[in-house]
Amino acid sequence: MSRKIALATLDAADRELVEMAGDESRHAYAPYSGFAVGAAVRTRSGKTYTAANLENASYGLAICAEVAAIAAANAAGDFEVESIAIAGHKFKLPQDSTQVVTPCGRCRQVIFEAAQVSETNVRVFSCNGDLSEIVESTISELLPAAFGPANFGIDAAWLKMRETLHAAVTKLRANRSR
Ligand code: THU
């Protein structure tokens, strides 16, 4: 079950992750909703990646903070996601920072995919704007009975396939410099 926890009771690493998410909401590009979301991902390496929501005049193209943060970890070649923190608040007047922001459905699916790669039941910290309310969950709690790589019978295939990808890119590079 999801658990309500206080910032002060988190260990140093989790507290830092939650605070990073709160601070990251500063980078939201959200002229349409007036709602800012920050996300911070921690990977097995201990590194962290942050991102904020990125909206578009074509409303449906908005990129959520969680998706952008997970994409940043992947872009750094560091996709073994272990934890993610999310914090959001309405900054458009009248402001409201009281509501805990849990990942939207698409974000849950994206977190689930990352969880399959890291073989970790990713921990999710959902927070309100001033971090006075934090709910800790796991991705399997937030997205039970998920559709994922197992449906294709490729559970652990990616790690091997990634080696093939890296070898292919190395070969392409070698051919290019000849
Ligand atoms: N948003 C996120 O960034 N993450 C979520 O999980 C919920 C929604 C963003 C998308 C949009 O820019 C704004 O919040 C309002 O929906």
Side-chain angles (χ1 to χ4, degrees):
M1 272 296 284
S2 298
R3 299 147 294 279
K4 266 189 147 184
I5 39 170
L7 188 62
T9 65
L10 291 174
D11 71 24
D14 289 344
R15 184 179 174 143
E16 186 192 23
L17 199 72
V18 164
E19 288 183 331
M20 285 175 102
D23 290 346
E24 180 61 22
S25 71
R26 158 188 300 278
H27 293 142
Y29 174 70
Y32 304 105
S33 69
F35 194 85
V37 183
V41 163
R42 190 170 61 233
T43 62
R44 188 158 294 147
S45 70
K47 288 194 187 144
T48 53
Y49 303 88
T50 59
N53 54 328
L54 173 63
E55 297 187 347
N56 193 278
S58 180
Y59 285 19
L61 299 184
I63 299 170
C64 288
E66 299 93 310
V67 170
I70 288 172
N74 181 53
D78 189 13
F79 198 37
E80 320 282 306
V81 175
E82 288 196 334
S83 312
I84 183 166
I86 303 121
H89 53 101
K90 180 173 171 275
F91 65 90
K92 192 166 71 176
L93 300 176
Q95 297 184 338
D96 182 9
S97 60
T98 61
Q99 303 299 315
V100 167
V101 176
T102 52
C104 79
R106 178 172 185 262
C107 289
R108 292 177 195 208
Q109 187 72 34
V110 170
I111 296 167
F112 182 77
E113 187 78 25
Q116 301 313 293
V117 174
S118 61
E119 296 180 335
T120 303
N121 194 5
V122 172
R123 296 155 72 228
V124 181
F125 297 96
S126 304
C127 313
N128 67 349
D130 65 5
L131 312 181
S132 59
E133 280 200 44
I134 304 171
V135 178
E136 181 182 353
S137 322
T138 62
I139 188 57
S140 64
E141 286 171 332
L142 294 178
L143 191 67
F147 176 76
N151 291 90
F152 296 91
I154 59 161
D155 297 58
W158 175 244
L159 299 182
K160 186 91 200 113
M161 210 169 155
R162 189 166 60 186
E163 286 172 26
T164 308
L165 166 65
H166 291 173
V169 174
T170 302
K171 200 166 126 195
L172 287 169
R173 188 194 289 145
N175 291 346
R176 191 167 72 211
S177 56
R178 256 199 250 125

PDB file of all heavy atoms in Angstrom, residues 38 49 62 79 96 102 133 143 170 173 177:
ATOM      1  N   GLY A  38       7.950  19.076 -11.307  1.00  0.00           N
ATOM      2  CA  GLY A  38       9.366  18.718 -11.370  1.00  0.00           C
ATOM      3  C   GLY A  38       9.512  17.249 -11.040  1.00  0.00           C
ATOM      4  O   GLY A  38       8.746  16.701 -10.238  1.00  0.00           O
ATOM      5  N   TYR A  49      18.862  12.663 -12.209  1.00  0.00           N
ATOM      6  CA  TYR A  49      18.489  13.375 -13.444  1.00  0.00           C
ATOM      7  C   TYR A  49      17.171  14.084 -13.166  1.00  0.00           C
ATOM      8  O   TYR A  49      16.246  13.471 -12.631  1.00  0.00           O
ATOM      9  CB  TYR A  49      18.339  12.390 -14.608  1.00  0.00           C
ATOM     10  CG  TYR A  49      19.599  11.589 -14.815  1.00  0.00           C
ATOM     11  CD1 TYR A  49      19.809  10.396 -14.119  1.00  0.00           C
ATOM     12  CD2 TYR A  49      20.604  12.048 -15.656  1.00  0.00           C
ATOM     13  CE1 TYR A  49      20.989   9.679 -14.270  1.00  0.00           C
ATOM     14  CE2 TYR A  49      21.785  11.337 -15.822  1.00  0.00           C
ATOM     15  CZ  TYR A  49      21.975  10.157 -15.117  1.00  0.00           C
ATOM     16  OH  TYR A  49      23.148   9.460 -15.260  1.00  0.00           O
ATOM     17  N   ALA A  62       2.068  18.019 -24.742  1.00  0.00           N
ATOM     18  CA  ALA A  62       2.806  18.298 -23.502  1.00  0.00           C
ATOM     19  C   ALA A  62       3.636  17.087 -23.080  1.00  0.00           C
ATOM     20  O   ALA A  62       3.180  15.940 -23.163  1.00  0.00           O
ATOM     21  CB  ALA A  62       1.833  18.671 -22.395  1.00  0.00           C
ATOM     22  N   PHE A  79      20.289   3.993 -17.507  1.00  0.00           N
ATOM     23  CA  PHE A  79      18.846   3.745 -17.521  1.00  0.00           C
ATOM     24  C   PHE A  79      18.369   2.784 -16.432  1.00  0.00           C
ATOM     25  O   PHE A  79      17.254   2.312 -16.472  1.00  0.00           O
ATOM     26  CB  PHE A  79      18.460   3.218 -18.908  1.00  0.00           C
ATOM     27  CG  PHE A  79      16.977   3.315 -19.218  1.00  0.00           C
ATOM     28  CD1 PHE A  79      16.213   4.389 -18.804  1.00  0.00           C
ATOM     29  CD2 PHE A  79      16.345   2.321 -19.942  1.00  0.00           C
ATOM     30  CE1 PHE A  79      14.863   4.475 -19.085  1.00  0.00           C
ATOM     31  CE2 PHE A  79      14.990   2.380 -20.239  1.00  0.00           C
ATOM     32  CZ  PHE A  79      14.247   3.464 -19.805  1.00  0.00           C
ATOM     33  N   ASP A  96      -2.069  27.075  -5.906  1.00  0.00           N
ATOM     34  CA  ASP A  96      -2.436  25.963  -5.009  1.00  0.00           C
ATOM     35  C   ASP A  96      -1.304  24.947  -5.009  1.00  0.00           C
ATOM     36  O   ASP A  96      -0.961  24.395  -6.057  1.00  0.00           O
ATOM     37  CB  ASP A  96      -3.740  25.305  -5.486  1.00  0.00           C
ATOM     38  CG  ASP A  96      -4.191  24.176  -4.569  1.00  0.00           C
ATOM     39  OD1 ASP A  96      -3.601  24.022  -3.475  1.00  0.00           O
ATOM     40  OD2 ASP A  96      -5.129  23.439  -4.939  1.00  0.00           O
ATOM     41  N   THR A 102       0.487  12.700  -8.286  1.00  0.00           N
ATOM     42  CA  THR A 102       0.891  11.328  -8.613  1.00  0.00           C
ATOM     43  C   THR A 102       1.093  11.259 -10.132  1.00  0.00           C
ATOM     44  O   THR A 102       0.485  12.033 -10.870  1.00  0.00           O
ATOM     45  CB  THR A 102      -0.191  10.316  -8.178  1.00  0.00           C
ATOM     46  OG1 THR A 102      -1.444  10.741  -8.711  1.00  0.00           O
ATOM     47  CG2 THR A 102      -0.283  10.218  -6.669  1.00  0.00           C
ATOM     48  N   GLU A 133       3.467  17.158   1.977  1.00  0.00           N
ATOM     49  CA  GLU A 133       2.795  15.859   1.856  1.00  0.00           C
ATOM     50  C   GLU A 133       3.536  15.015   0.846  1.00  0.00           C
ATOM     51  O   GLU A 133       3.738  15.433  -0.314  1.00  0.00           O
ATOM     52  CB  GLU A 133       1.337  16.019   1.418  1.00  0.00           C
ATOM     53  CG  GLU A 133       0.453  16.399   2.585  1.00  0.00           C
ATOM     54  CD  GLU A 133      -1.012  16.091   2.308  1.00  0.00           C
ATOM     55  OE1 GLU A 133      -1.309  14.987   1.780  1.00  0.00           O
ATOM     56  OE2 GLU A 133      -1.823  16.964   2.600  1.00  0.00           O
ATOM     57  N   LEU A 143       0.642   0.851 -10.890  1.00  0.00           N
ATOM     58  CA  LEU A 143       0.212   0.287 -12.178  1.00  0.00           C
ATOM     59  C   LEU A 143       0.191  -1.238 -12.080  1.00  0.00           C
ATOM     60  O   LEU A 143       1.069  -1.924 -12.608  1.00  0.00           O
ATOM     61  CB  LEU A 143       1.166   0.744 -13.300  1.00  0.00           C
ATOM     62  CG  LEU A 143       0.686   0.454 -14.723  1.00  0.00           C
ATOM     63  CD1 LEU A 143      -0.545   1.274 -15.074  1.00  0.00           C
ATOM     64  CD2 LEU A 143       1.803   0.754 -15.737  1.00  0.00           C
ATOM     65  N   THR A 170      29.661   1.028 -32.696  1.00  0.00           N
ATOM     66  CA  THR A 170      31.130   1.036 -32.756  1.00  0.00           C
ATOM     67  C   THR A 170      31.600   0.688 -34.161  1.00  0.00           C
ATOM     68  O   THR A 170      32.512   1.320 -34.713  1.00  0.00           O
ATOM     69  CB  THR A 170      31.699   0.020 -31.729  1.00  0.00           C
ATOM     70  OG1 THR A 170      31.213   0.396 -30.449  1.00  0.00           O
ATOM     71  CG2 THR A 170      33.218   0.021 -31.726  1.00  0.00           C
ATOM     72  N   ARG A 173      30.967   3.548 -36.549  1.00  0.00           N
ATOM     73  CA  ARG A 173      31.943   4.612 -36.342  1.00  0.00           C
ATOM     74  C   ARG A 173      33.273   4.252 -36.997  1.00  0.00           C
ATOM     75  O   ARG A 173      33.907   5.094 -37.647  1.00  0.00           O
ATOM     76  CB  ARG A 173      32.139   4.848 -34.847  1.00  0.00           C
ATOM     77  CG  ARG A 173      32.999   6.067 -34.557  1.00  0.00           C
ATOM     78  CD  ARG A 173      33.459   6.087 -33.122  1.00  0.00           C
ATOM     79  NE  ARG A 173      32.381   6.375 -32.187  1.00  0.00           N
ATOM     80  CZ  ARG A 173      32.287   5.840 -30.962  1.00  0.00           C
ATOM     81  NH1 ARG A 173      33.190   4.973 -30.547  1.00  0.00           N
ATOM     82  NH2 ARG A 173      31.302   6.174 -30.172  1.00  0.00           N
ATOM     83  N   SER A 177      35.259   6.330 -40.230  1.00  0.00           N
ATOM     84  CA  SER A 177      36.567   7.009 -40.183  1.00  0.00           C
ATOM     85  C   SER A 177      37.578   6.425 -41.178  1.00  0.00           C
ATOM     86  O   SER A 177      38.702   6.857 -41.228  1.00  0.00           O
ATOM     87  CB  SER A 177      37.101   6.965 -38.758  1.00  0.00           C
ATOM     88  OG  SER A 177      37.172   5.634 -38.323  1.00  0.00           O
TER      89      SER A 177
END
